[in-house]
Amino acid sequence: MQKASGRKMNNHAIGILCVIFAAFGFSLMTFFVRISGDVPTMQKAFFRNAVAAVIAIVPILKSEDKFRIKKGCGLDIFFRCLFGTSGLICNFYAIDRIGIADANMLNKLSPFFAIILSIPILKEVPTKRDWLAVGVAFLGALLIIRPSASLTLVPGLLGLYGGFGAGTAYVFVRKLGRKGERTPVIVLCFSLFSCLVTAPFLIFDFHPMTGQQLLCLILAGVGAAIGQFSITTAYKFAPAKDISVFDYTQVIFAAILGMIFLDEVPVLLSILGYVIIIGTAAVRWARMRKIENN
């Protein structure tokens, strides 16, 4: 019994480390997207997903089933790709126009959007505490966006949609997981779909890049791939409900990178917004762990 308990603790520790590593990978993605400079958003999104597609296709080619979508999963994959791609584009747009820590935090509202979207898609009914968590999280988001008549409202709202798109995409990923669809297939479909959506913008409005800019976008794709596969590995060792809160360390990594390399110091209201959203996620996670252990 003691050995089983110790094994479970070790698995949770490995899962937590993988989530933190994934958060670091995604923060590197946003950092390299930002420092790639004045490259158009669609061009950045294309190269980010092209690199991820190349990396995702390797395990598929090694598998016996190769690339084959399971019966009944096609429509769910389409919606995962649609919302994931639109959310990614809006997130990249926000990264270029507001601080990377703020853009990351708005994107990390995705778990709360997932709670709402789980009602019609997964038929999961949230509790009153879940609704309270959503309300408090949106309060934190308002402190980050700080609605005003200035033009910063637009990238802030698009950054908010980035979180909505990601949250909706995650719900469809969960639905696909229930149907037994393979992770590499989902990742590859998303990456190829995003490339197809953004490719026309490259054809008609391609901006020549320096070698440094191209390198930054390749590194952004590598960071994204590290994040995606680390998250997948993490959930093999521990349930998402037990370790997902540690994904919010991405905001801390992004804030550190922004302060060191970009001279971005979050304002007090933004910091307060971070505390509210991360605190809400932590309290919700702790409560779920308590219920699970009782």
Side-chain angles (χ1 to χ4, degrees), residues 5-292:
S5 177
R7 192 180 301 113
K8 183 177 180 181
M9 289 180 65
N10 287 336
N11 286 344
H12 274 73
I14 294 172
I16 290 169
L17 288 174
C18 287
V19 168
I20 293 174
F21 192 60
F24 180 65
F26 284 128
S27 66
L28 285 177
M29 179 197 75
T30 58
F31 172 71
F32 284 117
V33 166
R34 180 63 180 272
I35 66 172
S36 62
D38 58 354
V39 179
T41 299
M42 292 297 190
Q43 197 164 322
K44 291 181 178 181
F46 175 86
F47 280 94
R48 176 260 190 240
N49 286 295
V51 174
V54 171
I55 296 174
I57 203 170
V58 174
I60 292 177
L61 293 176
K62 290 182 178 180
S63 69
E64 294 181 359
D65 292 334
K66 304 300 180 183
F67 182 78
R68 183 169 61 86
I69 298 174
K70 286 184 176 294
K71 186 177 180 180
C73 292
L75 188 61
D76 293 325
I77 285 183
F78 170 75
F79 283 121
R80 184 270 180 268
C81 295
L82 178 66
F83 285 104
T85 297
S86 58
L88 174 73
I89 292 170
C90 288
N91 179 236
F92 277 20
Y93 183 90
I95 289 170
D96 283 337
R97 289 158 180 84
I98 59 179
I100 60 172
D102 283 4
N104 271 273
M105 192 70 259
L106 290 172
N107 197 56
K108 286 305 170 188
L109 283 169
S110 54
F112 301 102
F113 283 117
I115 292 174
I116 299 173
L117 272 299
S118 291
I119 300 173
I121 298 173
L122 300 176
K123 310 303 180 185
E124 295 176 353
V125 181
T127 65
K128 292 181 179 179
R129 291 179 184 270
D130 290 331
W131 285 118
L132 179 62
V134 171
V136 174
F138 276 113
L139 174 62
L142 287 175
L143 293 176
I144 297 172
I145 299 174
R146 296 182 295 280
S148 66
S150 67
L151 291 178
T152 56
L153 176 62
V154 174
L157 290 176
L158 288 176
L160 186 63
Y161 177 83
F164 169 80
T168 307
Y170 293 155
V171 173
F172 281 105
V173 168
R174 286 172 59 192
K175 190 176 180 181
L176 287 164
R178 290 180 177 180
K179 294 181 177 181
E181 187 56 271
R182 293 173 295 160
T183 297
V185 171
I186 300 172
V187 173
L188 181 60
C189 287
F190 165 63
S191 298
L192 292 178
F193 182 91
S194 298
C195 287
L196 288 174
V197 169
T198 54
F201 293 89
L202 268 73
I203 296 172
F204 296 106
D205 189 30
F206 180 78
H207 284 224
M209 298 181 291
T210 64
Q212 182 177 347
Q213 288 176 319
L214 178 59
L215 177 61
C216 284
L217 293 181
I218 292 174
L219 291 175
V222 172
I226 290 172
Q228 288 177 335
F229 283 96
S230 295
I231 282 288
T232 303
T233 303
Y235 293 154
K236 290 180 181 178
F237 285 97
K241 65 179 183 298
D242 292 343
I243 61 177
S244 59
V245 68
F246 294 96
D247 191 34
Y248 283 86
T249 54
Q250 179 180 336
V251 181
I252 299 173
F253 289 131
I256 293 173
L257 289 170
M259 285 187 287
I260 294 176
F261 297 103
L262 304 175
D263 294 325
E264 292 181 357
V265 181
V267 301
L268 183 59
L269 286 177
S270 287
I271 295 174
L272 182 58
Y274 304 159
V275 172
I276 289 175
I277 295 175
I278 295 175
T280 301
V283 169
R284 186 167 177 269
W285 172 76
R287 181 176 177 275
M288 291 176 67
R289 290 283 293 147
K290 184 177 179 181
I291 293 174
E292 184 76 16

